[in-house]
């Protein structure tokens, strides 16, 4: 049975190769996420524009910058632990 993972938000910019790599990694690791382009949104550009790609859970920034498979895999383990997966009870 696959453990439930929260839906994350990935802040991106069109034409950003790191953003494209991050999306490919998220898809390969079967993350649920919504991509949001920061272009043209003054608030999002101010908050995340220099750091894209930025992966968040609500207001919590989980990762930013180069989101390789290793970092994404480690995050998945962390999120599963936080969700209580594998705890006996």
């Amino acid at each position: 049975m696959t453990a439930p993972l929260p839906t994350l938000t990935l802040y991106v910019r069109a034409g950003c190769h790191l953003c494209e790599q991050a999306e490919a990694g998220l898809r390969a690791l079967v993350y649920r996420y919504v991509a949001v382009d920061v272009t043209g949104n003054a608030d999002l550009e101010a908050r995340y524009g220099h750091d894209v790609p930025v992966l968040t859970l609500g207001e919590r920034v989980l990762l930013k910058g180069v989101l390789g498979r290793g970092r994404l895999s480690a995050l998945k383990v962390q999120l599963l632990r936080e969700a209580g997966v594998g705890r006996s009870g």
Side-chain angles (χ1 to χ4, degrees):
M1 182 170 119
T2 303
L5 282 172
T7 299
L8 305 178
T9 303
L10 180 67
Y11 292 96
V12 299
R13 181 184 318 265
C16 166
H17 73 281
L18 291 177
C19 299
E20 293 166 3
Q21 290 173 356
E23 286 201 75
L26 289 167
R27 284 191 303 270
L29 293 168
V30 195
Y31 271 91
R32 292 185 317 186
Y33 72 97
V34 175
V36 176
D37 192 334
V38 301
T39 305
N41 183 315
D43 180 51
L44 293 179
E45 283 192 19
R47 187 180 296 173
Y48 303 119
H50 295 291
D51 297 320
V52 293
V54 178
L55 188 63
T56 67
L57 175 57
E59 293 295 314
R60 177 180 162 200
V61 174
L62 301 171
L63 296 173
K64 59 184 176 179
V66 179
L67 306 185
R69 292 279 294 265
R71 289 182 76 196
L72 291 171
S73 293
L75 175 63
K76 190 169 195 177
V77 170
Q78 177 186 338
L79 291 173
L80 289 171
R81 285 184 180 147
E82 288 176 8
V85 174
R87 291 184 190 161
S88 58

